[in-house]
């Protein structure tokens, strides 16, 4: 059930050590050096692309390409660092997908575009709904999935932004496969669903480097309404909360914490419930291992970026806790889930202070592995 994206990090780290030993005119050496060496001048855009290799039981072997574009408006180093990440993959089971994430700042932060896009043919694991779903084999929902979520934010005063938000999510060509030894009641939306949400977001953000914050604060509260009048199959609404704070501890180290929440009301399809787990928060849990209408999660992380004895390598240690329930009033410590773990870091863009991260999170369900560019939050 767990994507084990370990080989790319080993590949890059091994290459960083061995590439000086290779012939000067080696095509392999030039390719690796281009991937791991940041030669762009300060303020100039940087672009990298590198392969990934993964395995999970539901997908078999997965081949992918990751890319990252970094730039500053008008090539001015006083402007914040914008990032656009793309990831594409294909598996031996015939599954595929394209992911795109963006955090783009305009000149003098006058505009802020924050969003993500997903298209994939990929299995979704379903363990049921609620804070006490059993640890039995999950159902498998194979489907096409399309997501487009974007905030268009205007600076009102320094570091404070406000603007509209749109969320389009579609699940189609679905196939619900029950496990062999037990039966799940099919949830709302499991036969396919399309929902469009409109709303707005308030954001306070004084970070300068979104992918590796050394010092700063980010806070967002947003509201989205999904209604048949907007083209949705279901009628529901939700409030989303995301608060992050970063505190330097010495010249290289950072202590960071995050509080994250989703609070929904109405008739909600299973794929848009509050989902515990994933690569950002509660690492180690499969995204959606626990799901319900409301979730509150928190995590803390200490980062050594880099180690005192290395220019390229660093590490992190993190811990988190979360709870899901039908309503906020139903939150209880009895249903609190915890996770913790460690991570390895490799400085991929020295002049931009961007790291490649490999995290392993440990939970009561076992470990989960994650490989991404930039920190989890």
């Amino acid at each position: 059930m767990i994507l084990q994206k370990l080989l790319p990090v080993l590949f890059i780290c091994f290459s960083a050590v061995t590439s000086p030993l290779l012939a000067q005119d080696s095509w392999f050496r030039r390719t690796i050096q281009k991937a791991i060496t940041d030669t762009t001048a300060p303020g100039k855009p940087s672009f990298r692309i590198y392969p990934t290799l993964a395995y999970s039981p539901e997908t078999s072997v997965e081949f992918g390409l990751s890319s990252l574009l970094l730039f500053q408006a008008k090539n001015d180093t006083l402007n914040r660092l914008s990032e656009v990440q793309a990831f594409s993959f294909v598996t031996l089971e015939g599954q595929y997908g394209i992911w795109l994430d963006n955090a783009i700042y305009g000149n003098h932060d006058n505009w802020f575009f924050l969003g993500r896009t997903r298209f994939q043919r990929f299995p979704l694991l379903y363990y049921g709904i609620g804070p006490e779903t059993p640890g039995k084999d999950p159902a498998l929902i194979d489907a096409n999935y399309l997501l487009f979520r974007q905030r268009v934010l205007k600076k009102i005063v320094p570091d404070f932004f406000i603007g509209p938000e749109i969320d389009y999510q579609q699940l189609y060509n679905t196939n619900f496969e029950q496990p062999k030894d037990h039966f799940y009641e099919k949830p709302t939306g499991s036969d396919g669903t399309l929902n469009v949400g409109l709303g707005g977001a308030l954001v306070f953000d004084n970070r300068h480097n979104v992918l590796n914050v050394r010092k700063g604060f980010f806070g967002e509260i947003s509201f989205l309404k999904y209604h048949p009048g907007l083209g949705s199959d279901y009628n529901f609404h939700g409030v989303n909360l995301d608060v992050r704070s970063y505190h330097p501890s010495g010249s290289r180290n950072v202590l960071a914490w995050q509080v994250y929440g989703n609070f929904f009301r109405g008739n909600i399809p299973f794929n848009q419930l509050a989902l515990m787990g994933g690569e950002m928060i509660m690492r180690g849990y499969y995204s959606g291992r626990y799901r319900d209408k409301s979730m509150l999660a928190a995590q803390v992380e200490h980062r050594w970026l880099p180690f005192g004895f290395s220019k390229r390598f660093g590490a992190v240690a993190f811990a988190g806790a979360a709870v899901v329930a039908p309503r906020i009033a139903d939150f209880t410590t009895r249903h609190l889930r915890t996770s913790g773990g460690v991570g390895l870091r490799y400085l991929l863009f020295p002049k931009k202070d961007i790291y490649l991260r490999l995290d392993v999170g440990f939970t009561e369900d076992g470990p989960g592995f994650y490989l991404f560019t930039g920190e989890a939050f």
Side-chain angles (χ1 to χ4, degrees):
M1 311 296 180
I2 301 168
L3 286 178
Q4 300 185 39
K5 298 185 175 180
L6 178 59
L7 291 179
V9 167
L10 296 179
F11 169 74
I12 290 175
C13 294
F14 176 79
S15 300
V17 173
T18 61
S19 58
L21 304 178
L22 301 176
Q24 292 297 317
D25 59 350
S26 166
W27 172 86
F28 180 76
R29 182 182 185 278
R30 292 196 304 270
T31 301
I32 297 305
Q33 285 296 99
K34 185 175 180 180
I36 66 176
T37 304
D38 185 8
T39 59
T40 56
K44 297 296 184 180
S46 297
F47 179 77
R48 291 292 182 276
I49 185 168
Y50 52 89
T52 63
L53 179 65
Y55 174 82
S56 66
E58 68 272 16
T59 65
S60 184
V61 177
E62 171 192 311
F63 303 94
L65 284 176
S66 291
S67 62
L68 176 64
L69 173 65
L70 303 172
F71 62 94
Q72 289 162 297
K74 295 185 179 295
N75 293 334
D76 186 347
T77 57
L78 296 179
N79 283 320
R80 304 194 202 202
L81 189 65
S82 297
E83 55 94 0
V84 178
Q85 294 194 65
F87 170 62
S88 61
F89 66 88
V90 63
T91 78
L92 294 185
E93 297 294 325
Q95 297 136 348
Y96 49 86
I98 299 175
W99 297 6
L100 184 68
D101 294 290
N102 64 271
I104 301 173
Y105 297 91
N107 190 36
H108 303 304
D109 306 331
N110 286 325
W111 292 94
F112 182 24
F113 302 89
L114 182 63
R116 61 174 42 188
T117 303
R118 301 281 189 271
F119 172 72
Q120 61 186 38
R121 176 80 185 185
F122 199 76
L124 304 175
L125 303 183
Y126 179 73
Y127 293 85
I129 297 173
E132 294 185 324
T133 53
K136 300 179 180 179
D137 289 340
L140 188 68
I141 303 176
D142 198 9
N144 286 345
Y145 176 55
L146 180 61
L147 176 149
F148 176 80
R149 185 173 182 180
Q150 193 71 229
R151 292 85 122 184
V152 181
L153 305 171
K154 181 72 171 66
K155 183 176 73 173
I156 304 302
V157 296
D159 302 324
F160 186 76
F161 304 85
I162 186 171
E165 179 174 6
I166 183 171
D167 183 33
Y168 177 101
Q169 297 196 40
Q170 184 179 6
L171 201 67
Y172 61 100
N173 293 339
T174 60
N175 180 32
F176 193 97
E177 299 179 15
Q178 297 282 2
K180 295 180 179 179
D181 59 347
H182 59 283
F183 179 84
Y184 287 97
E185 182 178 349
K186 294 181 68 174
T188 299
S190 60
D191 291 325
T193 178
L194 187 157
N195 295 285
V196 180
L198 291 179
L202 297 172
V203 173
F204 181 90
D205 183 11
N206 63 6
R207 303 170 299 171
H208 191 76
N209 182 343
V210 174
L211 293 178
N212 182 21
V213 187
R214 295 287 181 170
K215 180 180 180 181
F217 182 87
F218 174 87
E220 176 186 10
I221 185 167
S222 66
F223 174 84
L224 281 166
K225 172 66 176 178
Y226 304 81
H227 191 273
L230 300 174
S232 295
D233 293 334
Y234 298 98
N235 185 8
F236 61 101
H237 61 271
V239 173
N240 303 290
L241 175 70
D242 189 355
V243 178
R244 313 176 189 186
S245 189
Y246 308 86
H247 308 272
S249 55
S251 60
R252 295 182 303 272
N253 304 337
V254 177
L255 179 67
W257 59 263
Q258 179 186 28
V259 176
Y260 185 82
N262 306 122
F263 313 100
F264 293 104
R265 299 290 297 273
N267 189 21
I268 309 164
F270 82 100
N271 61 303
Q272 292 187 245
L273 290 166
L275 308 177
M276 181 190 296
E279 76 280 0
M280 185 185 78
I281 197 165
M282 294 302 288
R283 283 163 281 178
Y285 281 106
Y286 177 83
S287 179
R289 172 62 181 87
Y290 295 96
R291 68 181 73 205
D292 214 319
K293 290 185 175 181
S294 296
M295 180 188 74
L296 185 62
Q299 66 179 335
V300 62
E301 179 170 288
H302 193 271
R303 303 168 182 168
W304 295 267
L305 300 175
F307 289 126
F309 56 83
S310 174
K311 293 182 178 181
R312 287 278 184 139
F313 289 97
V316 306
F318 57 88
V323 61
V324 301
R327 302 175 304 163
I328 297 177
D330 296 325
F331 285 154
T332 171
T333 55
R334 183 167 63 91
H335 295 143
L336 191 69
R337 309 291 173 179
T338 59
S339 70
V342 294
L344 178 67
R345 298 295 183 267
Y346 178 77
L347 185 55
L348 189 62
F349 290 86
K351 295 183 180 180
K352 300 292 192 298
D353 196 28
I354 304 298
Y355 285 78
L356 190 69
R357 69 177 173 103
L358 172 67
D359 290 335
V360 54
F362 299 96
T363 71
E364 60 186 0
D365 289 347
F369 296 85
Y370 308 90
L371 172 69
F372 287 90
T373 304
E375 296 302 328
F377 67 97

